[in-house]
Amino acid sequence: MAGLKDVHYDAFISYRHSEFDSFVVENLHKKLENFKLPKSVLSKVKSGKTKITRIFRDVDELPLADNLSDPISAALANSEFLICVCTPRYPQSRWCMKEIEVFLQTHPRDHLLVLLAEDEPVNSFPEILNYVEEEAVDENGNKVKVRREIEPLAADTRGTTRKEVLKAMDTAVIKLAAAIFGLNFDDLKQRHREQKMRRMAAIFGSIGAAVLGFAIFATCMLVKISRQYDELEDRFANTMATASHTLVEDGLRKDAVYAVWDVLPDTDNGKVNGNALSALYTAMNVYKVDPGYFPVSSYDSYSQVYDIDWTYDGKYLLTNIEYAIVVYDAETGEDLGEIMKDDENLFSEVFTASFCGSDGFLVSDDDEVTYYKIGSEQGETVGIPAPSVLFSTPDTVVGVVGDKLYGVGTGGKVLFETDMSEAIGSGDFAAEYFSFTDDLISLCLSDLNDDGAKYIVIADRYTGEIKDSLKSSSTSGIEAQLGGEILYIGVSKVDDETAEQYTDVITYDLSKGSAVWKTRLDGFALGEDLVDMLVTENYVYVSSTYDVAAINRIDGSLVKVHTLPQPVVTAWPQGDIMITVLTNAESYAIEGDYSADFTDSLYEVVPKENITDANYLNGDLYFMFERASYISRYSASVSPRAEKIDDYDVSGLYDDYKSADDEILEDSDAYNLPIYTFDTSFYSKDEEFIVAMFSDHTVRVYDRASKANILSFITEDETYQSDMYYSELTGSYIISGEFYSRILDQNFNIVSVVDRIVGEEDGCFVLYTKDYMFFKVPYVGYDEIMDETYKYLDGYEPEESVKEKYGLR
């Protein structure tokens, strides 16, 4: 940040960090930096400035830091103008008011600009914008300070919808730009309109001349333009299909649905883009019978997520973002309310939240702990000091302050306050690691006054009574996992003689008060903030950053240390197998001395973004992505339409379809047939077309009369397509390979990709999976999928940042 003093800004945007205000500022910032002056006014700009090159807003320019006052002050001093984005929340921010005061210390008042974004000026303008103190002489000749009312230069972007706000912003940007460039607003607005009209005239001038001069030619041109428009729409639909697939991979399923819903007609009018429709079927999860993980919900937090927490029943989750705690319904993704941070704790060292049972949560800041019911913005102060970390169980929350252990139950009731000094001595302790059973909790503590002292405390989960305590001389990490009456401990140390790191893994019998076995892992250091120790029937798995040690649970013998390509962010047991998810979203399965890449088996759609935090809860995976403002929930559940059946006779569906091999091979030159990759071919039902399949995974449709290749597509499966039949259910064709089938429309466009179709009955497809299971799934036609999509979106519209990133409209 030292170089910030040398950075010059055209303007500094002062605003309140709430969701709507941030939306306005993001679009204002972009439009100002993209604003272009008409050439006709350049000579009138006295400063010689030709464009707005740099705007300061803290979300882009500065990382979160303990003290932002110096960089903010430097940015204000080096900004030519201050733009205050005013809403009813803006005057409530002491931080924003301070920005105005600091700016006016070094700048003239006419360099302070205002954007009214919401409500009326009386509610949104702070007093400092409406009044100025001046020196005057009273009736006695004394100099006094008087307040004079002033009217700030304000642009207006208010609207009843965000679309109206964005529309109004175009005029507001011209007004602000006029002030920044020192121009007259009306003149700049007129020149800007003329500039826009000239550009439009340049585009359409030749067409307009042709229309005026040649009526017949104009008609032809209109037809051509209409065709070009249809082609552009079709190309855009293809682009949205690609965007939809990318959004699914990024965990933004609802946005993926919106992307293609927006480019499809309400009814099948014969101009449906097959790629967009296929992407819609995929995003809507219509025919999913594969048990792989697929994104089902996303929770948009509007700002970068720093921490997350879940209720143990999987009903709710919350995110800790820059300016708020946001709570969501985990199933629907609905935002159930926000607890706004005030300016005093916006950048506090301590601001953490944790669910307290399944109906409410605790928020801890620098000063106090507050309990909130889900859906309520009014909290109740809990009578305990503020811990730096809150640890939750299904019905209690635990925190450590100094040498005291606190427990809070459902409803925010304080359950216990335990003095730990008799067990571990007096001091100031920080809790690092936590685990629990039905009755007990274990905490790993560091003595902040003694760098080498670490403790493990075992206490009753509901009364806080200390059951046992252990001291360790660990110089690095420490972890402990409760398993019945056995405590599994990992302690990382540095060898005094060799200076090499190692980790001791110890099992401690709580009932006997003694160790059962101890295993040393040389060159092994426990990972930080990554994954718990896992205990299965036969193994204890201990994780470092890249390594996982498998230890025999009975005798403590080291089975194997497995080295993984990326750090582990979450793991869970399946029997004796440890399933891991790495930061790059890959998955590895480990069982004793065996490990294997499990990625393709785990997912149906593999996330593309790097994962910074994850949780496996009730069979679902929750992912937090690098620099992302949202959480995604991935589920392995199949489509709710799907019905598993025990067995099915797979013969007969493809057997009777007529081969076209003799004809197409005999006249291969006329068909321009890639003979070396040709595999098989079939006639269409009316025998007007030939559908040919190739070993390079392509499928080509030929018109028999002209022998022209009218359509080609790539299937990109593990095996190439080899079968085809006409479906009475869909009124179109199905082509299939060993594992997958493609439902085509009457124009041979792919409508949907599903597991291999082996039968049709009762209005359903019978699907056969790679895992050798059969499912019946009802056929979903165009009208039905569009109706379901309409209900699913329910007026939803992606955030502008998502639209901009993925090119949505």
Side-chain angles (χ1 to χ4, degrees):
M1 275 314 150
L4 188 62
K5 294 180 179 178
D6 301 322
V7 179
H8 175 79
Y9 297 96
D10 294 305
F12 181 115
I13 301 180
S14 174
Y15 67 104
R16 187 69 185 266
H17 286 201
S18 71
E19 189 272 330
F20 176 74
D21 302 55
S22 296
F23 157 76
V24 172
V25 169
E26 286 174 8
N27 286 280
L28 174 67
H29 189 165
K30 180 176 65 176
K31 287 179 178 291
L32 280 172
E33 289 194 339
N34 289 327
F35 184 84
K36 293 183 178 179
L37 277 176
K39 291 182 179 179
S40 56
V41 302
L42 289 178
S43 60
K44 297 183 178 181
V45 180
K46 296 179 180 179
S47 65
K49 185 193 301 286
T50 60
K51 61 180 180 178
I52 300 171
T53 57
R54 195 172 182 87
I55 301 287
F56 180 95
R57 61 185 177 104
D58 58 356
V59 69
D60 276 351
E61 300 294 342
L62 297 175
L64 191 64
D66 292 336
N67 184 357
L68 291 183
S69 59
D70 290 341
I72 290 288
S73 297
L76 285 165
N78 286 283
S79 297
E80 189 173 352
F81 288 87
L82 177 69
I83 301 174
C84 302
V85 178
C86 293
T87 66
R89 292 165 295 281
Y90 186 72
Q92 300 169 6
S93 170
R94 289 193 294 274
W95 184 271
C96 294
M97 299 306 98
K98 189 66 175 177
E99 288 174 343
I100 299 175
E101 291 176 8
V102 171
F103 181 81
L104 289 176
Q105 290 173 5
T106 55
H107 295 76
R109 182 168 280 272
D110 62 2
H111 279 225
L112 194 156
L113 312 177
V114 178
L115 182 79
L116 180 59
E118 188 180 0
D119 211 329
E120 296 301 320
V122 66
N123 297 323
S124 298
F125 286 3
E127 281 196 4
I128 193 172
L129 298 182
N130 292 320
Y131 298 93
V132 61
E133 283 194 351
E134 294 180 337
E135 201 173 73
V137 178
D138 65 13
E139 58 186 10
N140 299 318
N142 299 317
K143 292 183 178 180
V144 294
K145 292 281 187 179
V146 296
R147 294 177 66 186
R148 179 170 62 85
E149 186 175 351
I150 59 173
E151 184 177 346
L153 173 64
D156 192 343
T157 62
R158 289 173 296 175
T160 57
T161 66
R162 294 194 175 194
K163 190 173 184 179
E164 289 181 2
V165 170
L166 292 176
K167 187 175 181 181
M169 192 172 292
D170 290 335
T171 300
V173 166
I174 295 175
K175 192 167 189 177
L176 294 173
I180 292 172
F181 288 108
L183 297 170
N184 179 275
F185 165 66
D186 292 330
D187 184 53
L188 182 56
K189 183 178 180 181
Q190 179 63 29
R191 299 297 177 91
H192 204 265
R193 185 185 293 115
E194 291 171 358
Q195 183 189 55
K196 188 174 181 180
M197 292 295 292
R198 282 196 295 271
R199 285 199 301 267
M200 295 296 291
I203 295 171
F204 295 109
S206 59
I207 296 176
V211 171
L212 290 172
F214 308 98
I216 296 175
F217 178 70
T219 303
C220 295
M221 284 295 293
L222 288 173
V223 171
K224 183 177 180 181
I225 291 169
S226 177
R227 288 175 179 170
Q228 289 176 342
Y229 178 79
D230 288 343
E231 289 175 4
L232 288 173
E233 284 290 292
D234 196 54
R235 284 162 60 186
F236 182 70
N238 287 332
T239 301
M240 288 300 96
T242 301
S244 179
H245 289 303
T246 302
L247 283 159
V248 167
E249 291 172 341
D250 289 349
L252 293 167
R253 180 192 169 212
K254 206 160 195 172
D255 299 303
V257 172
Y258 175 91
V260 282
W261 157 263
D262 192 44
V263 296
L264 291 169
D266 292 338
T267 58
D268 188 351
N269 57 9
K271 294 183 179 181
V272 175
N273 182 279
N275 291 331
L277 184 57
S278 179
L280 179 62
Y281 274 92
T282 298
M284 284 293 290
N285 227 356
V286 173
Y287 295 115
K288 183 181 184 299
V289 295
D290 189 302
Y293 279 86
F294 182 91
V296 292
S297 296
S298 58
Y299 315 93
D300 196 330
S301 294
Y302 321 116
S303 185
Q304 184 174 344
V305 179
Y306 298 113
D307 196 14
I308 47 180
D309 192 40
W310 304 262
T311 54
Y312 281 86
D313 59 7
K315 191 175 180 181
Y316 303 107
L317 66 84
L318 63 78
T319 60
N320 186 345
I321 61 175
E322 183 179 18
Y323 53 83
I325 303 295
V326 189
V327 181
Y328 303 90
D329 182 300
E331 181 61 32
T332 65
E334 179 187 359
D335 182 336
L336 299 178
E338 302 174 359
I339 305 301
M340 302 297 294
K341 302 175 186 177
D342 60 36
D343 293 335
E344 290 184 353
N345 63 41
L346 184 60
F347 302 110
S348 65
E349 293 183 6
V350 176
F351 202 101
T352 183
S354 185
F355 281 107
C356 188
S358 58
D359 298 320
F361 57 96
L362 299 181
V363 176
S364 174
D365 59 29
D366 284 334
D367 300 317
E368 61 185 9
V369 177
T370 307
Y371 174 80
Y372 293 89
K373 277 191 173 183
I374 291 172
S376 173
E377 295 182 3
Q378 298 299 319
E380 297 179 7
T381 301
V382 178
I384 66 172
S388 60
V389 182
L390 295 171
F391 297 101
S392 64
T393 75
D395 48 13
T396 57
V397 174
V398 175
V400 173
V401 181
D403 50 19
K404 301 294 192 299
L405 175 65
Y406 295 91
V408 181
T410 301
K413 179 182 178 181
V414 177
L415 298 179
F416 57 81
E417 176 183 337
T418 301
D419 187 343
M420 299 184 292
S421 61
E422 290 187 10
I424 60 176
S426 299
D428 192 7
F429 295 91
E432 296 181 355
Y433 199 86
F434 175 80
S435 72
F436 65 92
T437 63
D438 289 342
D439 303 314
L440 300 175
I441 57 174
S442 73
L443 283 156
C444 298
L445 307 175
S446 291
D447 188 341
L448 298 179
N449 299 318
D450 184 350
D451 292 339
K454 293 182 184 292
Y455 296 85
I456 298 173
V457 172
I458 314 300
D460 185 282
R461 180 169 146 187
Y462 299 101
T463 67
E465 180 187 354
I466 304 296
K467 298 294 187 180
D468 209 338
S469 63
L470 302 168
K471 182 176 181 179
S472 168
S473 59
S474 169
T475 55
S476 184
I478 183 170
E479 298 179 0
Q481 183 73 43
L482 279 169
E485 288 295 316
I486 302 296
L487 180 67
Y488 299 88
I489 307 169
V491 180
S492 290
K493 304 178 181 179
V494 175
D495 191 296
D496 292 335
E497 295 182 2
T498 65
E500 298 269 336
Q501 276 196 319
Y502 69 95
T503 295
D504 281 335
V505 181
I506 307 161
T507 56
Y508 184 82
D509 191 323
L510 295 173
S511 63
K512 297 178 181 179
S514 61
V516 179
W517 52 255
K518 175 179 175 181
T519 299
R520 174 166 167 153
L521 303 174
D522 288 317
F524 194 99
L526 294 175
E528 295 183 2
D529 301 325
L530 292 174
V531 64
D532 298 348
M533 300 170 67
L534 286 183
V535 180
T536 67
E537 183 178 355
N538 293 304
Y539 300 102
V540 177
Y541 294 103
V542 185
S543 299
S544 73
T545 303
Y546 290 93
D547 296 328
V548 176
I551 300 172
N552 185 294
R553 180 181 174 184
I554 307 303
D555 61 17
S557 60
L558 175 62
V559 179
K560 186 176 181 178
V561 176
H562 302 268
T563 299
L564 302 177
Q566 293 286 327
V568 180
V569 288
T570 194
W572 63 95
Q574 286 187 3
D576 263 341
I577 301 173
M578 178 185 188
I579 306 296
T580 67
V581 172
L582 313 185
T583 54
N584 64 352
E586 290 180 354
S587 173
Y588 280 78
I590 300 171
E591 183 177 16
D593 62 352
Y594 174 78
S595 62
D597 189 334
F598 194 63
T599 308
D600 291 339
S601 299
L602 182 67
Y603 299 102
E604 183 171 341
V605 175
V606 182
K608 290 198 313 180
E609 298 285 340
N610 280 349
I611 299 169
T612 57
D613 197 2
N615 190 48
Y616 177 81
L617 183 64
N618 299 328
D620 286 350
L621 281 168
Y622 295 82
F623 290 145
M624 185 167 85
F625 299 107
E626 187 175 19
R627 294 186 300 275
S629 61
Y630 61 92
I631 308 296
S632 288
R633 177 167 68 95
Y634 282 64
S635 174
S637 59
V638 301
S639 167
R641 296 182 179 85
E643 175 191 354
K644 192 175 183 298
I645 56 179
D646 294 332
D647 200 6
Y648 191 81
D649 182 4
V650 300
S651 62
L653 187 66
Y654 300 95
D655 294 349
D656 299 330
Y657 224 71
K658 186 176 178 181
S659 171
D661 289 359
D662 291 343
E663 176 180 335
I664 199 168
L665 287 171
E666 184 177 340
D667 208 359
S668 60
D669 289 342
Y671 281 102
N672 194 24
L673 190 72
I675 195 70
Y676 295 107
T677 57
F678 173 77
D679 182 64
T680 189
S681 61
F682 302 95
Y683 290 109
S684 64
K685 185 178 181 181
D686 55 14
E687 298 194 0
E688 292 183 3
F689 303 99
I690 293 176
V691 181
M693 304 172 188
F694 300 84
S695 60
D696 62 355
H697 301 269
T698 59
V699 176
R700 299 188 180 198
V701 181
Y702 294 93
D703 181 276
R704 286 184 71 196
S706 66
K707 297 182 172 50
N709 176 197
I710 61 171
L711 182 70
S712 299
F713 53 84
I714 300 175
T715 59
E716 296 178 344
D717 286 349
E718 297 171 16
T719 58
Y720 51 86
Q721 308 301 292
S722 57
D723 296 307
M724 185 179 88
Y725 79 97
Y726 182 81
S727 170
E728 298 294 341
L729 187 59
T730 66
S732 61
Y733 295 94
I734 310 291
I735 62 169
S736 299
E738 182 180 355
F739 300 121
Y740 297 101
S741 295
R742 280 167 171 76
I743 303 171
L744 308 180
D745 64 13
Q746 295 177 352
N747 298 317
F748 293 96
N749 293 308
I750 298 172
V751 169
S752 188
V753 181
V754 301
D755 285 72
R756 182 175 170 88
I757 298 173
V758 296
E760 294 181 1
E761 60 177 43
D762 304 325
C764 296
F765 291 121
V766 179
L767 307 181
Y768 185 55
T769 73
K770 288 191 292 183
D771 297 321
Y772 314 112
M773 294 184 292
F774 293 98
F775 288 88
K776 286 176 65 174
V777 184
Y779 166 63
V780 178
Y782 189 87
D783 290 342
E784 187 176 354
I785 185 65
M786 294 303 287
D787 184 55
E788 286 196 13
T789 303
Y790 177 79
K791 293 176 181 176
Y792 172 68
L793 290 176
D794 191 26
Y796 173 80
E797 188 166 327
E799 291 297 311
E800 289 302 320
S801 58
V802 173
K803 286 186 177 182
E804 182 178 352
K805 180 177 179 180
Y806 296 92
L808 311 185
R809 67 183 181 187

